[in-house]
Amino acid sequence: MEKNTIDHMEELKQQFAILTDKLESQEINNERLLRTVMKTKMKSINKYYYWLFFLGLPIIILCFQTFYCKGQVSLLFYVSTVLLAVLDTICGMVINKMGNNQWQEADLLTARQTLVQMKQRRKKGEIISIPLVIIWLSFFVLEVFRSSANAFMLSTFAVIGGLLGLGIGLLAYRKMQRTNDELIREIDQLKKDLSDEETI
């Protein structure tokens, strides 16, 4: 009887060890899959900033260099515009690249905290940049009216271009925030599923 009990206990220990190994293996696989999903989703955000840096910025610089060369804007306004555009792009890139290494090396809790911080920093950036764009647009209209014969036409194009740029920026911002929300939900769901399995 005692031998049967000992054999039964050994069998239970082995089954428990197998179950533990399976759970750990499943957790590792799920984490790897989630990290792959995170990298894929964040690549689209990074691509937006690469396009902005390598295509958007040169276009802005060339356009306002042309305005400056034609005497439609002052040197101060031209330099300020370029600096603001470069600064805004670099800040966006820094915010969105801040967590890339942590997703590969740190635990999912740290990755989640990083995603939340990215959302908060992006929101602060948007709160600062929208009034700046409105102020900049107002100064651009004043610059054009001060120095150009085609002031009305140029300022109309400026307002349309500014509103279009603002719209694109807001759409990109919302997409980035949604991406972070989706990833945070997926991390929370994975943690919940794993904790449910452990309690079973």
Side-chain angles (χ1 to χ4, degrees):
M1 180 77 177
E2 193 175 321
K3 187 177 183 302
N4 285 343
T5 306
I6 291 169
D7 289 343
H8 185 66
M9 289 293 287
E10 284 299 320
E11 189 181 333
L12 282 174
K13 279 182 187 176
Q14 287 173 359
Q15 287 176 353
F16 184 74
I18 291 166
L19 181 64
T20 304
D21 288 343
K22 279 184 180 177
L23 286 174
E24 284 174 0
S25 172
Q26 187 176 351
E27 183 174 354
I28 289 165
N29 289 335
N30 287 342
E31 278 199 32
R32 281 184 187 150
L33 180 64
L34 183 56
R35 287 179 198 279
T36 305
V37 169
M38 288 167 79
K39 284 179 199 171
T40 305
K41 287 191 175 184
M42 292 309 288
K43 269 184 189 173
S44 65
I45 293 174
N46 292 334
K47 277 181 189 173
Y48 169 79
Y49 280 101
Y50 287 133
W51 279 106
L52 195 60
F53 191 78
F54 292 110
L55 185 67
L57 274 180
I59 289 171
I60 289 169
I61 291 167
L62 285 172
C63 283
F64 282 92
Q65 187 176 23
T66 305
F67 288 145
Y68 170 66
C69 291
K70 288 184 176 180
Q72 291 166 336
V73 296
S74 65
L75 178 62
L76 177 64
F77 185 81
Y78 166 57
V79 171
S80 301
T81 299
V82 171
L83 286 175
L84 276 173
V86 169
L87 187 65
D88 183 58
T89 305
I90 290 172
C91 284
M93 288 176 86
V94 168
I95 288 169
N96 289 293
K97 295 282 280 181
M98 65 181 273
N100 285 1
N101 293 334
Q102 291 182 9
W103 295 339
Q104 296 170 21
E105 297 163 12
D107 59 289
L108 287 178
L109 182 61
T110 305
R112 188 190 189 285
Q113 288 168 344
T114 303
L115 288 166
V116 171
Q117 286 173 355
M118 285 167 95
K119 278 191 68 182
Q120 291 167 345
R121 290 179 186 179
R122 243 188 247 128
K123 189 175 182 180
K124 285 176 187 172
E126 205 66 17
I127 289 167
I128 293 167
S129 65
I130 290 173
L132 276 178
V133 168
I134 293 166
I135 292 165
W136 172 85
L137 203 52
S138 304
F139 275 109
F140 182 49
V141 171
L142 286 173
E143 285 273 317
V144 169
F145 269 101
R146 181 187 59 79
S147 57
S148 177
N150 300 322
F152 183 74
M153 187 180 73
L154 275 174
S155 58
T156 303
F157 282 133
V159 169
I160 291 168
L163 291 173
L164 190 66
L166 192 62
I168 291 168
L170 285 171
L171 284 173
Y173 166 77
R174 286 184 66 190
K175 185 180 184 297
M176 291 176 205
Q177 296 294 74
R178 262 200 318 271
T179 299
N180 279 48
D181 286 335
E182 286 167 13
L183 292 174
I184 289 166
R185 276 197 300 272
E186 285 177 30
I187 290 171
D188 291 342
Q189 187 61 48
L190 176 61
K191 288 294 182 188
K192 183 179 179 297
D193 292 344
L194 291 172
S195 65
D196 289 348
E197 284 174 10
E198 284 171 9
T199 54
I200 291 170

